[in-house]
Amino acid sequence: MVNYLELKKVSDSFQPELSATIEKVVQSGWYLFGEEKKAFEEEFAAYCGTNFCVGVGNGLDALTLIFSGYMEMGVMQPGDEIIVPANTYIASILAITRCGLTPVLCEPRLDTFLLDEEKIEALITPRTKAIMAVHLYGRVCAMDPITILAKRHHLKLVEDSAQAHGAIYKGKKAGNLGDAAAFSFYPGKNLGALSDAGAVMTNDADLAKVVRALSNYGSLTKYTHLYKGINSRMDEIQAAVLRLKLKRLDKDNEVRRAYAERYIREIHNPRMIVPEYPCREGHVFHIFALRVPELRDQLQLWLKDEGIETQIHYPKPPHLQEAYKEWKSLSFPVTEKIHNEVLSLPLSPVHTAEEITRVIDALNRFV
Ligand SMILES: *Cc1c(COP(=O)(O)O)cnc(C)c1O
């Protein structure tokens, strides 16, 4: 059986250091707001190249805290519009609506699955306050044209980097390509904790300060509350685990790229469209998605019989979800096509070369 992702194998690959790290925190008697979180924030900021990193409870909170931070700073008001790709994971959009802001869905490009930079400008209105660039599947958006647009219209550029730990665009890391960025360290991400965790990255000292306060009951000093904050913290165990795993992130991403290159080179089935990736380092392959214009679901079942587990990211776009039933009548043909055609193949640093070969062989045999 080739599983899609085996977290036990990931954890095993970090032993015995992983258990020792956890034991050290347990024995320290200090579980929140300690040395591990502080050190992780410094190390991850240095890794991304940003001035500030604020560890928080999860990726959704990281995104939400960026927008509520801008609202506290007076940069955004309730009802302001945020342009966001229509094919993103729903968390990107939930963060916007949670803050009383209005998501404006933008079609992605079929060839990259990313925000279509040519379709953004037509969506900008006097109420638009930000563009959210989601580096979906681990590939960085076309940041040069998007940055020019954001500057020209005085918009904030927010990165959803939850799938793009370590991805690079023209020498700079995802997380340092806009005004603020959110990371998730959900266990299955390229840099994953052993529970929920997230981070906000920025070079803006004011935003960093507001986000830090908002994540801790609106407080920077005990029992003094500046804002109506929330409780969203990265605990010491997760911070210690992430510090350990960060050391191997680049190497792990390199393994992902090598496997992805094999998929791109060796899958020859005319039923499948394998995306091309001209900019190698710009992609960290959190997800390797093929397009299968016909028989996608049949292929997935057939692969299962062959002992190969695949996934679909994602089966249903946000505008067709019950949660956003007010958007039911909207039409996003590119987005809907992507959701009907994509299939994610097993790809992780703990897969073996033989497993990747098995996947390729099976795909090439499918008729
Ligand atoms: C995982 C993910 C999130 C949310 O992160 P959580 O830690 O699960 O809250 C947000 N956006 C994208 C694109 C993601 O993949």
Side-chain angles (χ1 to χ4, degrees):
M1 183 76 194
V2 182
N3 289 310
Y4 183 76
L5 176 63
E6 280 181 81
L7 289 175
K8 168 82 164 93
K9 276 192 190 165
V10 176
S11 291
D12 286 349
S13 75
F14 284 96
Q15 294 293 25
E17 291 85 355
L18 186 64
S19 291
T21 297
I22 294 166
E23 183 60 14
K24 202 176 122 212
V25 177
V26 172
Q27 291 304 331
S28 79
W30 196 283
Y31 307 121
L32 283 167
F33 299 115
E35 290 305 313
E36 296 291 346
K37 174 169 178 269
K38 190 161 172 280
F40 174 72
E41 288 176 342
E42 283 167 15
E43 288 161 14
F44 198 56
Y47 178 83
C48 292
T50 58
N51 290 340
F52 304 99
C53 168
V54 182
V56 300
N58 57 65
L60 173 60
D61 282 352
L63 281 168
T64 309
L65 287 163
I66 291 171
F67 291 113
S68 39
Y70 280 133
M71 292 178 87
E72 293 292 354
M73 292 164 73
V75 175
M76 295 173 191
Q77 314 291 331
D80 280 344
E81 297 168 4
I82 313 296
I83 295 173
V84 60
N87 64 321
T88 187
Y89 179 58
I90 199 159
S92 320
I93 293 167
L94 286 170
I96 299 170
T97 53
R98 248 172 111 187
C99 292
L101 298 162
T102 304
V104 174
L105 305 180
C106 181
E107 284 270 55
R109 289 170 56 128
L110 196 55
D111 58 348
T112 63
F113 307 122
L114 301 173
L115 201 54
D116 188 336
E117 63 276 16
E118 285 166 19
K119 291 187 181 153
I120 296 172
E121 198 153 27
L123 300 174
I124 296 175
T125 75
R127 291 222 72 173
T128 309
K129 289 294 157 63
I131 300 170
M132 193 196 293
V134 183
H135 307 313
L136 201 69
Y137 303 161
R139 180 177 186 158
V140 183
C141 298
M143 294 310 278
D144 278 352
I146 294 173
T147 304
I148 290 170
L149 268 179
K151 289 226 161 85
R152 191 191 306 148
H153 295 274
H154 308 289
L155 308 176
K156 294 292 180 195
L157 181 47
V158 176
E159 299 174 77
D160 180 341
S161 295
Q163 301 189 356
H165 317 73
I168 293 175
Y169 184 84
K170 301 196 175 170
K172 277 170 94 175
K173 291 249 171 60
N176 188 25
L177 298 167
D179 295 292
F183 279 96
S184 161
F185 307 112
Y186 175 82
K189 303 282 160 112
N190 287 27
L191 179 59
L194 297 180
S195 179
D196 281 314
V200 172
M201 319 300 294
T202 185
N203 292 314
D204 179 340
D206 294 332
L207 181 67
K209 207 167 157 188
V210 179
V211 165
R212 193 174 289 284
L214 281 171
S215 71
N216 182 35
Y217 299 117
S219 169
L220 289 168
T221 319
K222 210 167 187 183
Y223 303 130
T224 305
H225 302 275
L226 304 168
Y227 315 104
K228 299 181 187 79
I230 60 171
N231 172 0
S232 182
R233 302 155 172 167
M234 177 187 287
D235 68 68
E236 287 292 284
I237 289 182
Q238 303 317 321
V241 166
L242 290 169
R243 288 183 71 196
L244 172 70
K245 289 188 163 187
L246 178 60
K247 296 191 194 122
R248 224 181 69 193
L249 176 60
D250 286 339
K251 219 173 116 206
D252 283 350
N253 282 341
E254 203 46 56
V255 176
R256 287 176 182 271
R257 280 190 206 105
Y259 286 159
E261 281 181 355
R262 287 200 52 202
Y263 281 149
I264 293 164
R265 250 192 348 257
E266 297 174 36
I267 296 170
H268 300 300
N269 194 319
R271 287 198 175 279
M272 297 156 203
I273 300 167
V274 184
E276 286 184 37
Y277 299 104
C279 177
R280 209 172 163 273
E281 63 178 4
H283 205 320
V284 290
F285 295 97
H286 173 59
I287 288 168
F288 188 96
L290 288 174
R291 272 173 53 219
V292 190
E294 280 161 45
L295 304 179
R296 189 261 320 259
D297 296 343
Q298 289 84 340
L299 171 60
Q300 187 175 37
L301 286 172
W302 184 84
L303 286 168
K304 197 168 159 228
D305 285 340
E306 292 279 319
I308 294 163
E309 187 189 19
T310 57
Q311 290 194 10
I312 293 170
H313 298 97
Y314 298 91
K316 208 187 219 193
H319 72 280
L320 298 178
Q321 298 283 354
E322 184 66 20
Y324 290 108
K325 45 185 172 300
E326 60 272 32
W327 294 339
K328 207 166 44 199
S329 59
L330 300 184
S331 160
F332 295 95
V334 181
T335 296
E336 287 159 34
K337 189 172 166 62
I338 288 172
H339 285 76
N340 288 330
E341 295 184 357
V342 282
L343 185 71
S344 309
L345 305 182
L347 191 162
S348 79
V350 294
H351 280 100
T352 63
E354 292 70 39
E355 287 177 310
I356 302 300
T357 304
R358 271 188 64 191
V359 177
I360 295 166
D361 284 350
L363 288 168
N364 286 338
R365 273 189 289 113
F366 181 74
V367 282

